[in-house]
Amino acid sequence: MVDYVEVEIRGRKAAARLASATFITGTGKSTFIEIMYRVLSSVGKKLPRVGGGWSFYAQRGDVTYLITADRGRVRQSVAVGGEELVFEYIPSKGVHRIVKPINMSVADADVVIPLVRAEEHVSMVADEDIERFNSMLATARKALGVKIQFLGPYIAPRSVVDAEVKNVNLLERHGRNLVAVLSNLALYRPTAYDSIRAVLRKVGFTVSVGLAKPGKIGAFVATGTLKMPLGKAPCSVKSLLALAVALELKPDILVVDNLDYCLTPSVAEALTSILRQRPTKLVAEVHHRDVVDWIGVPDKAIVEIRL
């Protein structure tokens, strides 16, 4: 699990040591969590496009990673146990290189924590050295390649989705496919589905999902004698349902932009009950410090940034 992150953009730097629940306040909050999400969700994949000059640093134990993008040049530094590898990528020239501890061309340096694949034969670099580099990089990928889920800044699920919808194990950041994910949990992980329903009952609502009409899956919520499609449910109920479903997908880190959005004390209490049972780290952007007191987890931190 990632312990510490730094973001720098336009000459301003912000840092956070990640607790079980970390609340981001100040200015540039959304930018901070967006860059963190884009990089950590891209480990082993193509470099994220952020725009402008920026950098991101992450640490877990003796594994560190730094990416710096500026003026058409991207540098990545990966260190494990004190040994460091530095990659350089120049998009305009198609240049992919290792620049430390050796200087050689590689097939691709436009990947977050790239593996070393020589594009040309380099007699001065022994095969065992390349194997050692790749072993180190594999360790870094494993340490920093977390499963990360992003929600917000608002939640707007559809009430009905196609029964054949794809990617039902991934919740979209605005929760549009919430019904599909919930249906998948009901079908393949009924215990998780029951847990989600139990969380919603804590705020006085029930949720049900099933075939709405041929080829369509729908979800309804109810309280007392009132029943409504999910899309018409109160904002706080939709937000709590999305958070509960996201946590049942078991991410290492749950990033929430605008956690204050429709948050109420009762919803916060229900969310706390889930967080206490999960190893997931919550990183949430908030506008009002008061809501931090509503989340009753023992290990939490407030980080004020200026980006």
Side-chain angles (χ1 to χ4, degrees):
M1 187 72 72
V2 177
D3 302 318
Y4 176 83
V5 297
E6 288 181 3
V7 170
E8 182 173 358
I9 188 166
R10 296 183 295 274
R12 293 177 176 268
K13 182 182 290 187
R17 192 165 298 281
L18 301 186
S20 295
T22 305
F23 300 92
I24 309 298
T25 67
T27 57
K29 305 180 296 295
S30 294
T31 299
F32 181 90
I33 63 173
E34 183 77 35
I35 292 176
M36 182 184 74
Y37 168 73
R38 288 196 185 189
V39 176
L40 292 180
S41 64
S42 299
V43 172
K45 304 173 186 175
K46 292 294 183 181
L47 295 170
R49 294 183 179 181
V50 174
W54 61 279
S55 69
F56 175 80
Y57 172 87
Q59 179 178 1
R60 178 183 180 181
D62 67 349
V63 177
T64 65
Y65 171 73
L66 172 66
I67 176 172
T68 303
D70 188 31
R71 296 183 179 179
R73 184 188 305 267
V74 180
R75 277 205 171 196
Q76 298 182 75
S77 172
V78 183
V80 178
E83 184 173 16
E84 183 182 33
L85 271 175
V86 180
F87 294 86
E88 184 176 78
Y89 170 53
I90 305 177
S92 62
K93 298 181 179 180
V95 172
H96 303 258
R97 302 194 68 83
I98 296 176
V99 295
K100 183 180 178 181
I102 57 173
N103 195 318
M104 64 173 281
S105 295
V106 293
D108 50 17
D110 59 340
V111 171
V112 177
I113 309 183
L115 296 178
V116 178
R117 293 191 298 116
E119 192 171 59
E120 58 192 35
H121 178 67
V122 184
S123 58
M124 67 186 72
V125 182
D127 289 341
E128 54 265 31
D129 287 330
I130 292 179
E131 289 179 8
R132 179 168 53 86
F133 293 159
N134 281 333
S135 176
M136 184 184 82
L137 293 166
T139 298
R141 282 186 171 189
K142 184 176 180 180
L144 302 176
V146 295
K147 182 180 179 182
I148 186 167
Q149 170 76 58
F150 196 117
L151 289 180
Y154 60 87
I155 303 298
R158 298 186 179 99
S159 298
V160 178
V161 298
D162 292 335
E164 300 299 323
V165 69
K166 305 298 183 182
N167 296 323
V168 291
N169 288 311
L170 178 64
L171 187 61
E172 296 175 5
R173 65 188 295 174
H174 299 305
R176 282 184 286 263
N177 68 335
L178 182 56
V179 173
V181 179
L182 192 61
S183 175
N184 184 69
L185 290 172
L187 185 60
Y188 298 107
R189 293 179 54 202
T191 301
Y193 176 65
D194 290 342
S195 296
I196 292 167
R197 299 187 74 204
V199 169
L200 220 60
R201 284 196 294 270
K202 291 181 179 181
V203 295
F205 281 80
T206 60
V207 61
S208 57
V209 62
L211 192 65
K213 54 185 176 180
K216 299 289 184 179
I217 299 293
F220 293 85
V221 297
T223 180
T225 59
L226 182 63
K227 183 178 181 180
M228 67 203 83
L230 176 59
K232 299 294 185 180
C235 177
S236 59
V237 172
K238 290 185 288 190
S239 295
L240 177 58
L241 185 58
L243 288 164
V245 168
L247 287 167
E248 283 296 343
L249 296 177
K250 300 179 180 179
D252 298 304
I253 300 175
L254 173 59
V255 178
V256 183
D257 191 359
N258 196 15
L259 180 67
D260 312 62
Y261 177 69
C262 302
L263 192 71
T264 64
S266 60
V267 167
E269 184 179 354
L271 174 60
T272 298
S273 68
I274 317 173
L275 290 172
R276 284 178 171 271
Q277 302 171 34
R278 300 283 185 275
T280 297
K281 285 187 175 181
L282 172 69
V283 180
E285 181 261 1
V286 297
H287 299 86
H288 306 287
R289 283 176 173 259
D290 293 349
V291 304
V292 175
D293 296 330
W294 298 354
I295 308 296
V297 295
D299 178 27
K300 62 183 178 182
I302 302 175
V303 178
E304 184 171 352
I305 65 172
R306 291 284 182 267
L307 279 181

